[in-house]
Amino acid sequence: MRGFYMKNKCLESDILRFLILLGSATIASSLLFITAGNSSNCAIFYMLAIFLISRYTTGYIWGILGSVIGVIAVNYFFTYPYMEIDFLRDGYPITFSGMLTVSLITTTTATHLNTQKQDALNREQMLEKINHFNNHLLSAKNKEEMLNLSISFLSELNHADVLFVPNEYQNDSFSNDTDNHFSEVYTDVNDPVIKEYIKTTLDKNELMTLEREEIYYTFLPISSSVHKWGTLVLYSKQPQTNQMELNRLMIPQLSLSLEHYSLIEHHQTLLMDSEKEKMRSNLLRAISHDLRTPLTGIIGSSSTYLEAKEYLDETNKDKLIHGILEDANWLLNMVENLLTITKISQETALVKKVPEPIEEVVSEALMRFQKRYPKSKVIVKIPDEFLMVPMDATLIEQVIINLLENAVKHSNTIKPTEFTVETKQSEVSFSIKDYGQGIPENRLASIFDGSPISTNDKNDRKKGMGIGLTICKTIILAHQGRILASNHPTGTIFSFYLPIEGGDSYENK
């Protein structure tokens, strides 16, 4: 109905312009004939009118019709005998044939120029639409958004319902969910024609147009040299022939965008695999270091006790047993760390985050830490406001315990450790500050990669930071946070940051 209305309106406009221009030429010629008594220039007005008719109407018919009517009008109104049609007087056939020929040539030229202008305008509009479409594709965040955007765009362009049929069809589809007045939402592939296409032609990747029971179908396959994603199906009661060229141009743009996004996904997967492999190597190196030293101590102390117990007094025996107990507790703590990290999926590095009150998480972590190190002093500063942060509470408690434990064991000071929690815009910071010997500057950049820190202290050589900090980094990254280490004038600060907004599962970037 919309197309029929537009055609009628265009026809009415052409008729009106045709009558006005011919009428104006007749009036002008009459005025010239009356005032000057000269009819030789009357044909010029009609030729000008014919040129304007050809220029401002659609198609060739109006110019040709104007040429015939102009020749007849000049003969009837302004050629002797007046008010009669007579093409047989001496010289008249040649004169009027020449006038008709010139008029037709003028009409053809003007119409052709008009057609070229309209074609150029159509191409410009097509390029604008394609550019608009490409800009939207570039802003899309994933493949599903690209497909939904294409469905909406094609639906509006063709005034048709649009459905995406994946190449590996499994009764799922992306349907047009726009709220325009000319398109209904397509939610399932129940149409028999589309079902037939899926069974017979989907894998062939062929562009097709069909007409069944006054319904027109256009099948636009989306593919590249590497992938075949599926087919966009246009479905309406009107053929989509007017926009077919634009449809053909849009589909390659969509294919290129999908291919580009696939390459980005593949690149990100490779980077993530590389990061996982690097972290796995660091973990193995840290485990080998942190397991070997306490095990060596346990073996050495137990061997000494068994072989020389008759020569040892009670004090030395207690010292050996205390060393064995200390090393065993260290191994137990390391096993807890390893069990903690297994909560993070090895394939996707995801954690389940739910809003947790900061005060309770910090309190629980400090309680567990104090049981291990009852003589350690920790000064805690947390905001007075009630603060909820999305996290896996057990994992974050383990991070806090690991960082506090490192501060106590490696700072070599009796000064208390400061633990501060602050809100900073869209994130919360947790800082553990000690007043010890600090970390060598050349080790700060790689402190979280699992490499132990070598110092001159015997206890530090025995139990390096190793695996603990690597696990801390893994946990914080899985929360989409960040962790840093830095020195201050009298010690070291370990800080990690968690985003305030967000829940459910987040991917480790």
Side-chain angles (χ1 to χ4, degrees), residues 166-206:
N167 233 43
E168 301 81 13
Y169 180 70
Q170 296 176 343
N171 294 323
D172 59 330
S173 64
F174 300 91
S175 60
N176 184 7
D177 54 3
T178 55
D179 293 327
N180 52 62
H181 64 279
F182 48 77
S183 182
E184 298 176 355
V185 177
Y186 225 114
T187 57
D188 196 5
V189 186
N190 289 323
D191 190 286
V193 177
I194 300 177
K195 284 186 175 181
E196 179 184 354
Y197 175 84
I198 293 171
K199 292 180 180 179
T200 60
T201 319
L202 184 60
D203 292 336
K204 296 180 181 179
N205 205 41
E206 296 178 356

Side-chain angles (χ1 to χ4, degrees), residues 254-304:
L254 174 59
S255 299
L256 287 174
S257 297
L258 291 172
E259 185 70 29
H260 178 69
Y261 190 82
S262 295
L263 291 175
I264 292 175
E265 283 185 329
H266 181 65
H267 180 65
Q268 290 176 343
T269 301
L270 293 177
L271 289 177
M272 186 175 293
D273 291 342
S274 175
E275 184 69 21
K276 287 179 183 178
E277 187 60 33
K278 180 181 178 182
M279 189 166 290
R280 188 179 295 111
S281 299
N282 290 337
L283 282 172
L284 289 174
R285 185 167 64 250
I287 290 172
S288 65
H289 174 273
D290 283 2
L291 284 179
R292 183 176 63 249
T293 50
L295 283 174
T296 302
I298 290 174
I299 293 171
S301 297
S302 59
S303 297
T304 301

